[in-house]
Short mmCIF file of all heavy atoms in Angstrom, two decimals:
data_model
loop_
_atom_site.label_atom_id
_atom_site.label_comp_id
_atom_site.label_asym_id
_atom_site.label_seq_id
_atom_site.Cartn_x
_atom_site.Cartn_y
_atom_site.Cartn_z
N ASP A 137 -47.58 49.26 -14.08
CA ASP A 137 -47.38 47.86 -13.68
C ASP A 137 -45.90 47.54 -13.53
O ASP A 137 -45.09 47.88 -14.40
CB ASP A 137 -47.98 46.92 -14.73
CG ASP A 137 -49.51 46.86 -14.64
OD1 ASP A 137 -50.07 47.60 -13.81
OD2 ASP A 137 -50.11 46.07 -15.40
N ARG A 138 -45.57 46.86 -12.46
CA ARG A 138 -44.19 46.42 -12.21
C ARG A 138 -44.26 45.10 -11.45
O ARG A 138 -44.95 44.99 -10.44
CB ARG A 138 -43.44 47.46 -11.38
CG ARG A 138 -42.04 47.04 -10.95
CD ARG A 138 -41.46 48.04 -9.96
NE ARG A 138 -40.20 47.58 -9.41
CZ ARG A 138 -39.00 47.89 -9.86
NH1 ARG A 138 -38.90 48.68 -10.91
NH2 ARG A 138 -37.90 47.43 -9.29
N PHE A 139 -43.56 44.08 -11.95
CA PHE A 139 -43.51 42.83 -11.19
C PHE A 139 -42.11 42.26 -11.16
O PHE A 139 -41.32 42.40 -12.11
CB PHE A 139 -44.53 41.80 -11.71
CG PHE A 139 -44.28 41.25 -13.08
CD1 PHE A 139 -43.49 40.12 -13.26
CD2 PHE A 139 -44.88 41.82 -14.20
CE1 PHE A 139 -43.28 39.59 -14.53
CE2 PHE A 139 -44.67 41.30 -15.46
CZ PHE A 139 -43.87 40.19 -15.63
N GLU A 140 -41.81 41.66 -10.04
CA GLU A 140 -40.54 40.98 -9.81
C GLU A 140 -40.85 39.56 -9.34
O GLU A 140 -41.72 39.37 -8.49
CB GLU A 140 -39.70 41.70 -8.77
CG GLU A 140 -39.30 43.11 -9.15
CD GLU A 140 -38.52 43.80 -8.04
OE1 GLU A 140 -37.32 43.51 -7.89
OE2 GLU A 140 -39.13 44.61 -7.33
N ILE A 141 -40.13 38.59 -9.88
CA ILE A 141 -40.34 37.20 -9.48
C ILE A 141 -39.00 36.50 -9.35
O ILE A 141 -38.02 36.85 -10.02
CB ILE A 141 -41.24 36.43 -10.47
CG1 ILE A 141 -40.63 36.42 -11.87
CG2 ILE A 141 -42.64 37.00 -10.50
CD1 ILE A 141 -41.40 35.55 -12.86
N GLU A 142 -38.98 35.49 -8.48
CA GLU A 142 -37.81 34.61 -8.36
C GLU A 142 -38.33 33.18 -8.19
O GLU A 142 -38.76 32.79 -7.11
CB GLU A 142 -36.94 35.00 -7.18
CG GLU A 142 -35.68 34.13 -7.06
CD GLU A 142 -34.76 34.58 -5.95
OE1 GLU A 142 -34.71 35.79 -5.65
OE2 GLU A 142 -34.09 33.70 -5.36
N PRO A 143 -38.29 32.40 -9.27
CA PRO A 143 -38.82 31.03 -9.21
C PRO A 143 -37.74 30.01 -8.88
O PRO A 143 -36.55 30.23 -9.15
CB PRO A 143 -39.34 30.81 -10.63
CG PRO A 143 -38.39 31.61 -11.47
CD PRO A 143 -37.95 32.79 -10.64
N THR A 144 -38.15 28.90 -8.31
CA THR A 144 -37.24 27.79 -8.04
C THR A 144 -37.92 26.49 -8.47
O THR A 144 -38.98 26.14 -7.95
CB THR A 144 -36.88 27.71 -6.55
OG1 THR A 144 -36.30 28.95 -6.13
CG2 THR A 144 -35.88 26.59 -6.30
N LEU A 145 -37.30 25.82 -9.42
CA LEU A 145 -37.83 24.54 -9.90
C LEU A 145 -37.45 23.44 -8.92
O LEU A 145 -36.29 23.33 -8.51
CB LEU A 145 -37.25 24.24 -11.29
CG LEU A 145 -37.85 23.07 -12.07
CD1 LEU A 145 -39.31 23.31 -12.37
CD2 LEU A 145 -37.07 22.86 -13.37
N GLY A 146 -38.42 22.63 -8.51
CA GLY A 146 -38.19 21.59 -7.52
C GLY A 146 -37.41 20.41 -8.08
O GLY A 146 -37.10 20.34 -9.28
N PRO A 147 -37.08 19.45 -7.24
CA PRO A 147 -36.28 18.30 -7.65
C PRO A 147 -36.97 17.40 -8.67
O PRO A 147 -36.32 16.61 -9.35
CB PRO A 147 -36.03 17.54 -6.34
CG PRO A 147 -37.14 17.99 -5.42
CD PRO A 147 -37.42 19.41 -5.80
N ASP A 148 -38.30 17.51 -8.79
CA ASP A 148 -39.03 16.69 -9.76
C ASP A 148 -38.96 17.25 -11.18
O ASP A 148 -39.55 16.66 -12.10
CB ASP A 148 -40.49 16.56 -9.33
CG ASP A 148 -40.63 15.80 -8.02
OD1 ASP A 148 -39.75 14.95 -7.74
OD2 ASP A 148 -41.59 16.07 -7.29
N GLY A 149 -38.29 18.37 -11.35
CA GLY A 149 -38.13 18.94 -12.68
C GLY A 149 -39.41 19.54 -13.22
O GLY A 149 -40.26 20.05 -12.47
N GLU A 150 -39.57 19.48 -14.55
CA GLU A 150 -40.68 20.17 -15.21
C GLU A 150 -42.05 19.66 -14.79
O GLU A 150 -43.04 20.36 -14.92
CB GLU A 150 -40.54 20.06 -16.72
CG GLU A 150 -40.60 18.64 -17.25
CD GLU A 150 -40.53 18.61 -18.77
OE1 GLU A 150 -41.30 19.34 -19.41
OE2 GLU A 150 -39.70 17.85 -19.30
N LYS A 151 -42.14 18.44 -14.29
CA LYS A 151 -43.44 17.89 -13.90
C LYS A 151 -43.79 18.21 -12.45
O LYS A 151 -44.92 17.97 -12.02
CB LYS A 151 -43.45 16.38 -14.13
CG LYS A 151 -43.30 15.99 -15.59
CD LYS A 151 -43.36 14.48 -15.77
CE LYS A 151 -43.21 14.09 -17.24
NZ LYS A 151 -43.26 12.62 -17.44
N GLY A 152 -42.82 18.70 -11.70
CA GLY A 152 -43.05 18.98 -10.30
C GLY A 152 -43.43 20.43 -10.05
O GLY A 152 -43.49 21.25 -10.97
N PRO A 153 -43.72 20.79 -8.80
CA PRO A 153 -44.13 22.15 -8.46
C PRO A 153 -43.00 23.15 -8.60
O PRO A 153 -41.81 22.79 -8.59
CB PRO A 153 -44.60 22.02 -7.01
CG PRO A 153 -43.83 20.85 -6.47
CD PRO A 153 -43.68 19.90 -7.62
N ILE A 154 -43.36 24.42 -8.72
CA ILE A 154 -42.42 25.53 -8.81
C ILE A 154 -42.69 26.47 -7.64
O ILE A 154 -43.82 26.92 -7.44
CB ILE A 154 -42.58 26.29 -10.14
CG1 ILE A 154 -42.29 25.37 -11.33
CG2 ILE A 154 -41.68 27.51 -10.18
CD1 ILE A 154 -42.62 25.99 -12.68
N ASP A 155 -41.67 26.72 -6.86
CA ASP A 155 -41.79 27.69 -5.77
C ASP A 155 -41.52 29.08 -6.32
O ASP A 155 -40.56 29.29 -7.08
CB ASP A 155 -40.80 27.38 -4.65
CG ASP A 155 -41.18 26.12 -3.88
OD1 ASP A 155 -42.39 25.84 -3.80
OD2 ASP A 155 -40.28 25.43 -3.37
N LEU A 156 -42.37 30.03 -5.94
CA LEU A 156 -42.27 31.37 -6.51
C LEU A 156 -42.33 32.43 -5.41
O LEU A 156 -43.25 32.44 -4.59
CB LEU A 156 -43.42 31.61 -7.50
CG LEU A 156 -43.43 32.98 -8.20
CD1 LEU A 156 -42.25 33.08 -9.17
CD2 LEU A 156 -44.74 33.20 -8.95
#
Side-chain angles (χ1 to χ4, degrees):
D137 284 4
R138 174 189 173 95
F139 67 89
E140 298 177 78
I141 59 174
E142 182 176 329
T144 303
L145 190 62
D148 295 332
E150 63 177 309
K151 296 182 180 180
I154 298 171
D155 289 330
L156 181 68

